[in-house]
Amino acid sequence: NDKRPYLPLMLFGTTLFGSIHMLMVEFPVIGRDLPSAYAIRGYFLCVYAVTLGCQVYCVLCDPGKLQPKELEAFAQANPTTDGSKALPRRCHKMWLFKQPIRRYDHYCRWLTNAIGLLNHREFVLMLIGLLIIGVAGCLVDFVLLIWTSSEGHHFTGFLLIMHLTYSVILTLLAGPILRLHLTFVSRNELANEYKHNLFYIMRDATGKPIPVNDLEDEEFNQGLDNDKFEYEPSLNAFDRGWVTNCINFWCMARWPSSQLGEF
């Protein structure tokens, strides 16, 4: 049976359950023992609200489908010699939609949706929120566990241990994924481009750079196994330095109909 439709429910459900746990278990203890309880509550509520909102948005929204009239206009302005319809740069046709996705990054099985032009920022915000929830949950659970254990609140301590375990697992899962995608953002590289090694080289014995996709199969496997692939900025026409890349990612207007995702 296809279990993919359950993954978004699992992700949303565990995040929502974590927020309810904070509300019902951690918040009462924090309010009793800390003078800054309202600030801490407000902080966690905001993080949970943004994270859950981004999850729902990424699942339900249009990731950036190129509409037929836009595709036709682009094809007429960019004719090809073989008669096929040209696509904007970074636009990709995938199995989930009939229309190609502008600035396609990847398909996320946990969201059962493509990540593209119109939901990429929300996807990264979701990852940031999940990591904050995990790390902050670990710290709060650990401190409260020490306080409650000295007072003999064994059931509360058990609940805190359960939530601490969840927070540790969430941190270990979300952390590496977020790190990878923040690296992509700083390079203005898409996960789909990373998957196909478009901007990577391997140096031979003389130090000469060779594009990864030009390697023989045996050389490719050896380089992959020994972690010898290097990112080469000169191969990425979209890489304008990490500062400009980050500004463009977070501030570039994405909703105008003329935006094809070629940035």
Side-chain angles (χ1 to χ4, degrees), residues 202-255:
M202 188 178 80
R203 300 187 184 277
D204 62 15
T206 64
K208 178 183 177 182
I210 304 174
V212 166
N213 289 329
D214 292 344
L215 297 171
E216 299 291 338
D217 290 343
E218 184 176 352
E219 293 176 316
F220 179 94
N221 293 331
Q222 289 179 353
L224 182 63
D225 293 340
N226 296 300
D227 196 24
K228 291 186 177 181
F229 295 168
E230 302 175 20
Y231 173 72
E232 177 50 56
S234 63
L235 296 178
N236 186 357
F238 303 101
D239 188 347
R240 298 174 177 83
W242 72 269
V243 174
T244 301
N245 293 338
C246 291
I247 292 174
N248 287 343
F249 179 84
W250 293 108
C251 302
M252 182 76 71
R254 300 187 177 219
W255 286 99

Side-chain angles (χ1 to χ4, degrees), residues 80-101:
T80 60
T81 56
D82 58 3
S84 61
K85 291 186 177 180
L87 292 176
R89 293 180 300 172
R90 312 191 111 177
C91 193
H92 181 72
K93 184 71 175 70
M94 64 170 299
W95 59 270
L96 190 61
F97 301 105
K98 292 183 179 180
Q99 303 98 316
I101 306 301

Side-chain angles (χ1 to χ4, degrees), residues 49-63:
V50 171
T51 304
L52 289 168
C54 287
Q55 287 180 11
V56 173
Y57 180 83
C58 288
V59 170
L60 300 179
C61 85
D62 171 12

